[in-house]
Amino acid sequence: MLVPLHKILAKAHKENYAVGAFNINNMEICQAVVGAAVAEKSPVILQTSEGALKYAGIDYLKALATVAAMNKVPVTLHVDHGRDLNLIRSCIKAGWTGIMYDGSHLPLDENIKNTKKVVQWAHKKGIGVEGELGTIGGAEEQIIARKIIYTDPDAAAEFVEKTGVDALAIAIGTSHGAYKFEGSGRLDIHLLKTIKDKLKMPIVLHGASGVPASLVTMAARFGAELGKPEGVPDDQIALAVKNGVNKINTDTDLRLAFDAAVRKVIKERPEEFDPRHILGPARDLMQHIVQHRMKLFGSSGKA
Ligand code: G3H
Ligand code: 13P
Ligand code: ZN
């Protein structure tokens, strides 16, 4: 079933676990994520960035989520880092059940103004909204590279009060992409705890991929040149969940698994050219990674 963002997160907030939000861009990624949710009996958030909406198209992504929702696990179809208000309106109209409005690049008053507008549109349709305050580091296709600005707890309280968002993405040291830390890879758990105690609402962690060494090694073995990627260690994710994070975004780990598995087939079986034989192992490996994360987030068995 397709459920609204605030509903899927309310249970997680109450029972102290996190729902994984995985970026989908094509059928195999969607099948891997949903296959994991079914196997783990876990709720799941399928999220589509503006880049994904451009790449796959709103109708294909909606169709994928509709099929996903036929399973017996709660599924939320969510816009990730929405900035284009017209695109957000189209997704609301098309049946998305969660929206992230990302105004974190704007001055606070403009971020509040736009987020509030999105909340009004969404709540009219029974859809939940995630806002962002502070800036998460790193660069993605549609997101300009920037330095991390940690979320200020007082500003967060003001932001939530003025906008009426259902969930808040905060910056506590993570970055998007595969190169998150130069040092020890620690999150500011104290800041997370302060914000959670103050807001008492679902908190979202972006840039949370683990960048598992096994995937990096596998990709490199079959020709990838990735330099020195670094993710958020599993123990830091567990601490974040324990201290109040209820939605955890993961995209990079899916990309790494996809890349490593596709490279392996092509390198080991150069005679292979059936797309099903090339993409099938990638789908399996992504599902394996997602299942591991659902266990780590504590969402397994919560469907
Ligand atoms: O946080 C961003 C996600 O990884 C999506 O990236 O904009 O390249 O689709 P994208
Ligand atoms: P990663 O790049 O760490 O997977 O983060 C994804 C994300 O935050 C999507 O919004
Ligand atoms: Zn993000």
Side-chain angles (χ1 to χ4, degrees), residues 23 47 80-81 140 175-177 180 206-209 249-253:
N23 289 72
Q47 56 185 14
D80 186 33
H81 292 286
E140 298 291 334
S175 296
H176 290 104
K180 298 184 188 301
H206 283 245
S209 275
N249 288 13
T250 303
D251 187 1
T252 296
D253 287 354

Side-chain angles (χ1 to χ4, degrees), residues 113-132:
K113 192 179 94 201
N114 288 357
T115 307
K116 194 172 166 184
K117 199 184 287 178
V118 173
V119 168
Q120 280 164 355
W121 297 338
H123 283 185
K124 227 180 264 169
K125 297 260 185 183
I127 300 166
V129 176
E130 170 189 345
E132 180 179 327

